[in-house]
Amino acid sequence: MALLKVKFNQKKRVKLAQGLWLMNWFSVFAGILVFSMGLFLKIELRKRSEVMDNSESHFVPNSLILMGILSCAFNGFAGKICYDSLDPAKFAKWKPLLKPYLALCFIFNILIFFTALICFLMRGSLESTLAQGLKNGMKFYRDTDTPGRCFMKKTIDMLQIEFKCCGNSGFKDWFEIQWISNRYLDFSSKEVKDRIKSNVDGRYLVDGVPFSCCNPSSPRPCIQYQVTNNSAHYSYDYQTEELNLWRRGCREALLNYYSSMMSSMGAVVLLVWLFEIAVMVGLRLLHTSLESITNPEDPECESEGWILENSLKDTFKSALENLKKIGKFNQVEAGAEGAEGEEGGKTPAITTVS
């Protein structure tokens, strides 16, 4: 028994073709939207590529761009088929291509679905990329005189100001690295010498943070040095002074920013996927309803359209049997080739008669 069998007359077939033509052009615009989202996400990621450890994070925007291009191509082609289906003479040239095209549409819809899933599941990979990238960026913050790294200070400062964050996971991350360049240290000072000697790696570490960690909403002047020394400042307790420095780490801030963006894009791609499924089902019904016309000379005669010629169970069994046949055929071919090789390898025995 056919799956989702529907009876059609000429009027219904024309309406279906016209509706599908319109839906395909909506899908083309949806493809442009998906392409634009991928391009926007790629630009946003490239803006902060200096604080990302690898290029794996670009897999999502690249997938969106590819799906957008394919969506425009597939739906533009389908729109042409639907338009020509109104004229039997024009539709005849598309008939041999429809089955392969529908198979490609099925694969395309699977790819769109997986692209939507990737948008939701990339958070973990993105977090590790940001964690390592920010760690390296903070390490190079002081290298304002080093070619290739001189921009890192500005990048980190602008990032912390824009996203209202400080450090990798928090402001205390700055205490573990030397973020002040040696160029601006007075090595004749006893304090500087003592700090460098007290560190195993010979680094100048302070319980201070860059100016970009300061919260402008704080009612008092920003305390960015001796942050954890309560006695160094009047009426100050760093554990309760929530407005003095940004408490949130930049990894969390960037992760939330990109995750919310990709989740929204994933939801849009899922909607596009559902629309593409509807278009594919409609195109299959149009295809089968036109193929099952009993009298091609009478365009007004009734016909039947369906999604699958047999039930899901029977279709699945038939597909398995075909796969088994293909497997057996390959085995037979391999065996025949092996037998030919053995026969070719044998040398005929030569007997001499004395």
Side-chain angles (χ1 to χ4, degrees):
M1 183 180 177
L3 180 68
L4 200 64
K5 187 184 284 187
V6 183
K7 286 190 175 182
F8 289 91
N9 54 29
Q10 188 190 19
K11 190 177 179 181
K12 283 185 177 179
R13 286 193 295 268
V14 169
K15 280 186 176 179
L16 178 61
Q18 290 174 338
L20 283 171
W21 179 84
L22 191 62
M23 288 175 73
N24 274 299
W25 285 109
F26 274 123
S27 294
V28 169
F29 289 119
I32 293 170
L33 175 63
V34 171
F35 175 84
S36 303
M37 289 192 307
L39 199 61
F40 174 75
L41 181 59
K42 194 171 186 68
I43 291 168
E44 284 296 302
L45 287 169
R46 281 200 169 177
K47 278 182 185 177
R48 297 167 187 95
S49 57
E50 295 89 354
V51 293
M52 292 186 177
D53 186 43
N54 53 47
S55 58
E56 285 179 14
S57 53
H58 288 270
F59 180 71
V60 174
N62 290 341
S63 300
L64 290 170
I65 289 169
L66 178 62
M67 289 301 106
I69 293 169
L70 289 176
S71 179
C72 292
F74 272 100
N75 289 292
F77 184 69
K80 175 64 176 170
I81 292 172
C82 294
Y83 183 79
D84 286 349
S85 67
L86 298 172
D87 184 350
K90 287 182 178 178
F91 182 71
K93 67 180 179 181
W94 297 116
K95 267 189 176 182
L97 299 174
L98 270 173
K99 277 190 177 178
Y101 174 74
L102 285 167
L104 287 173
C105 281
F106 182 73
I107 295 168
F108 171 64
N109 279 302
I110 292 172
L111 291 175
I112 287 184
F113 180 72
F114 277 110
T115 302
L117 283 183
I118 289 166
C119 289
F120 293 108
L121 300 175
M122 278 295 288
R123 184 181 173 91
S125 175
L126 187 62
E127 184 173 10
S128 59
T129 296
L130 286 168
Q132 191 59 42
L134 282 165
K135 185 178 178 182
N136 292 335
M138 289 170 64
K139 195 188 298 180
F140 302 141
Y141 181 88
R142 63 174 178 166
D143 296 339
T144 50
D145 299 325
T146 307
R149 297 177 187 171
C150 53
F151 60 88
M152 191 56 74
K153 180 183 181 299
K154 182 182 177 182
T155 300
I156 296 291
D157 282 333
M158 294 303 294
L159 176 71
Q160 293 189 146
I161 292 168
E162 183 182 350
F163 285 90
K164 299 178 180 180
C165 59
C166 186
N168 193 335
S169 55
F171 68 90
K172 288 187 178 180
D173 293 334
W174 288 108
F175 300 172
E176 299 170 5
I177 61 170
Q178 180 181 336
W179 54 272
I180 301 172
S181 174
N182 287 339
R183 180 182 177 182
Y184 305 107
L185 293 177
D186 180 9
F187 285 95
S188 63
S189 168
K190 185 177 183 300
E191 183 191 351
V192 172
K193 287 179 181 178
D194 289 343
R195 279 191 179 277
I196 292 173
K197 285 179 181 178
S198 65
N199 184 265
V200 177
D201 299 323
R203 295 177 297 169
Y204 182 75
L205 303 182
V206 292
D207 59 340
V209 297
F211 77 97
S212 51
C213 283
C214 293
N215 183 349
S217 301
S218 176
R220 68 184 296 162
C222 181
I223 296 172
Q224 62 180 108
Y225 293 103
Q226 295 185 324
V227 175
T228 57
N229 186 358
N230 292 336
S231 60
H233 312 283
Y234 176 74
S235 184
Y236 173 75
D237 184 355
Y238 82 95
Q239 292 181 333
T240 59
E241 290 284 334
E242 294 184 5
L243 293 176
N244 184 57
L245 301 175
W246 301 120
R247 295 280 174 167
R248 185 172 63 160
C250 290
R251 177 177 56 185
E252 182 189 345
L254 284 171
L255 187 62
N256 290 341
Y257 174 71
Y258 286 120
S259 294
S260 62
M261 189 187 295
M262 286 195 289
S263 296
S264 301
M265 290 179 179
V268 172
V269 175
L270 275 179
L271 290 174
V272 172
W273 172 70
L274 290 171
F275 198 74
E276 291 285 354
I277 291 287
V279 170
M280 185 179 70
V281 169
L283 193 60
R284 174 62 175 166
L285 286 172
L286 180 65
H287 168 226
T288 50
S289 67
L290 289 168
E291 274 199 335
S292 64
I293 293 175
T294 52
N295 186 8
E297 294 178 1
D298 180 18
E300 293 187 5
C301 69
E302 289 191 349
S303 62
E304 290 182 341
W306 57 82
I307 305 300
L308 295 174
E309 195 170 354
N310 301 310
S311 64
L312 277 172
K313 187 178 179 182
D314 293 338
T315 305
F316 184 68
K317 279 184 180 179
S318 176
L320 279 177
E321 285 174 6
N322 288 334
L323 286 172
K324 285 178 182 178
K325 283 178 183 177
I326 292 168
K328 285 179 181 178
F329 180 73
N330 289 336
Q331 285 178 0
V332 169
E333 276 197 338
E337 286 176 3
E340 284 177 8
E342 286 179 6
E343 286 177 7
K346 291 179 180 177
T347 55
I350 300 172
T351 58
T352 58
V353 180
S354 57

